[in-house]
Amino acid sequence: MSYQNILSATNSGITTITINRPSKLNALNKATIQELHDAFDEANKSKSTKVIIVTGSGEKAFVAGADISEFADFDVKQGSKLAAKGQELLFDYVENLSTPVIAAVNGFALGGGLELAMSCHFRVASTNAKMGLPEVSLGVIPGYGGTQRLPQLVGKGRAMEMVMTAGMIDANQALDYGLVNHVTSVEELIPLAEKIASKIMRNSSVAIKSAINSINANYKDGINGFKTEIKQFGKCFGTEDFTEGTTAFLEKRKADFPGK
């Protein structure tokens, strides 16, 4: 597909999606959110994509926030619709993808940018990364899942402080909080993400899909995560990947999984 605001390239099983609006510090507008949805959907459906990495163009910003000019004059109904549509199209969508998604956070990840990073399955950051949810300084709150995912990742108290102060934390503090898994240099950010992706790709894509489903279930209202795990565990026994994985183990060889 052809995109105006993002770049998407696949190499050796990894699809890298880059938000490419450097003049706007890669801010998310409606068009970019739609293009990101389309790119994630295309990669998730592609048999050649085993892992997705999402990052921002340049070194200044992953995503510096939402494009405020698009909604500054919205009323209550329009604001509610904006949040609901955005969550459906992108943030909830990414969280529930069956293909693993790694956020490579370079520079500013603020507002919708941090919300996008948090919707990914996990995050790595460069040393120049700055993260925060500054929405209350504009008289609004995070609307793309930030008030829900941030406490899940860093705990209620830290989330309350970050949201209420509208402050930023640096990469090392984000690592200490558990908001990111790894911190590295700007130059090594994408290579590190690719190194982790290569480790993921050695394993069963079918089993990873079940693992994502099971882990996410623990954070959904009305869903019993243990029951979901039991169901997904059982389903694995009916897959070619299970047969190959267990056979390879017993034969003391490396498994050759069929793929997605």
Side-chain angles (χ1 to χ4, degrees):
M1 292 180 69
S2 169
Y3 301 110
Q4 300 298 315
N5 300 296
I6 67 171
L7 305 170
S8 183
T10 303
N11 185 37
S12 301
I14 303 170
T15 293
T16 302
I17 299 172
T18 306
I19 298 106
N20 189 34
R21 301 183 74 213
S23 64
K24 300 290 187 181
L25 293 179
N26 302 324
L28 295 178
N29 58 5
K30 290 180 184 178
T32 305
I33 287 174
Q34 181 64 59
E35 287 191 4
L36 282 167
H37 169 86
D38 293 341
F40 277 113
D41 186 59
E42 183 179 33
N44 191 52
K45 290 175 179 175
S46 170
K47 290 187 176 181
S48 62
T49 297
K50 301 298 179 65
V51 179
I52 301 168
I53 297 171
V54 60
T55 193
S57 62
E59 296 179 1
K60 290 184 178 180
F62 173 74
V63 172
D67 196 330
I68 297 166
S69 63
E70 283 196 336
F71 58 80
D73 60 348
F74 275 17
D75 59 22
V76 172
K77 185 176 181 181
Q78 290 171 308
S80 298
K81 184 177 179 181
L82 177 74
K85 188 66 175 177
Q87 289 191 32
E88 177 188 355
L89 264 183
L90 184 58
F91 302 88
D92 290 351
Y93 186 80
V94 168
E95 181 179 70
N96 292 297
L97 279 185
S98 58
T99 304
V101 183
I102 304 170
V105 181
N106 51 317
F108 292 110
L110 304 175
L114 181 54
E115 289 174 302
L116 175 59
M118 291 192 295
S119 72
C120 299
H121 297 128
F122 60 92
R123 291 142 294 285
V124 297
S126 56
T127 51
N128 70 331
K130 301 282 188 182
M131 293 166 236
L133 295 175
E135 286 87 346
V136 296
S137 68
L138 301 173
V140 70
I141 67 168
Y144 289 143
T147 64
Q148 306 304 298
R149 292 190 179 98
L150 186 61
Q152 291 171 1
L153 291 165
V154 308
K156 182 179 177 181
R158 284 171 171 165
M160 286 283 193
E161 181 179 356
M162 285 181 66
V163 170
M164 287 192 282
T165 62
M168 291 186 291
I169 61 173
D170 62 22
N172 287 327
Q173 196 167 3
L175 181 64
D176 181 57
Y177 280 10
L179 185 53
V180 301
N181 289 24
H182 305 277
V183 173
T184 188
S185 66
V186 173
E187 296 77 15
E188 288 299 314
L189 180 63
I190 298 302
L192 173 60
E194 291 174 342
K195 182 180 179 181
I196 297 170
S198 69
K199 291 181 180 180
I200 293 171
M201 288 190 292
R202 297 172 192 164
N203 303 309
S204 163
S205 295
V206 175
I208 287 170
K209 177 181 178 180
S210 290
I212 291 170
N213 187 303
S214 298
I215 293 168
N216 282 343
N218 185 52
Y219 297 95
K220 294 181 179 178
D221 288 340
I223 302 295
N224 185 312
F226 290 99
K227 288 185 177 179
T228 300
E229 180 184 277
I230 290 167
K231 180 179 179 181
Q232 292 295 328
F233 178 77
K235 283 175 65 176
C236 289
F237 282 73
T239 67
E240 293 180 22
D241 279 24
F242 174 75
T243 301
E244 169 59 17
T246 52
T247 301
F249 177 82
L250 294 171
E251 294 177 353
K252 296 181 172 58
R253 61 174 175 82
K254 184 179 178 181
D256 182 17
F257 292 110
K260 291 171 90 171

